[in-house]
Amino acid sequence: MKIYETRFLIFFLVMLVVPGAISYIGGWDTKLDGLFVLKAFSIACFMTVLYYLLLKNGLGTKP
């Protein structure tokens, strides 16, 4: 299993858009500046690596 598989890339793109959209719509971030993009990218990277490690270690499968 490699992190560049399609499911991880799709998960990364979803995590790139969804938290930023929720933050913008919720009113916490009202400007779309470099910090907003950096926060969205860091959340997406962290969640994707966490998802990858959970699946790699078998925590997402039934015994």
Side-chain angles (χ1 to χ4, degrees):
M1 178 181 344
K2 297 184 188 250
I3 199 161
Y4 295 116
E5 289 181 11
T6 306
R7 64 178 159 178
F8 297 120
L9 293 176
I10 292 171
F11 185 81
F12 175 78
L13 291 175
V14 168
M15 284 292 112
L16 188 63
V17 172
V18 170
I22 291 172
S23 176
Y24 185 74
I25 292 170
W28 294 291
D29 289 320
T30 55
K31 295 188 302 183
L32 297 177
D33 55 356
L35 182 61
F36 182 83
V37 173
L38 182 65
K39 285 192 296 185
F41 188 76
S42 63
I43 290 170
C45 287
F46 176 75
M47 293 300 291
T48 304
V49 170
L50 183 65
Y51 177 57
Y52 169 75
L53 291 174
L54 284 172
L55 290 181
K56 183 179 175 187
N57 291 328
L59 296 176
T61 59
K62 294 181 181 178

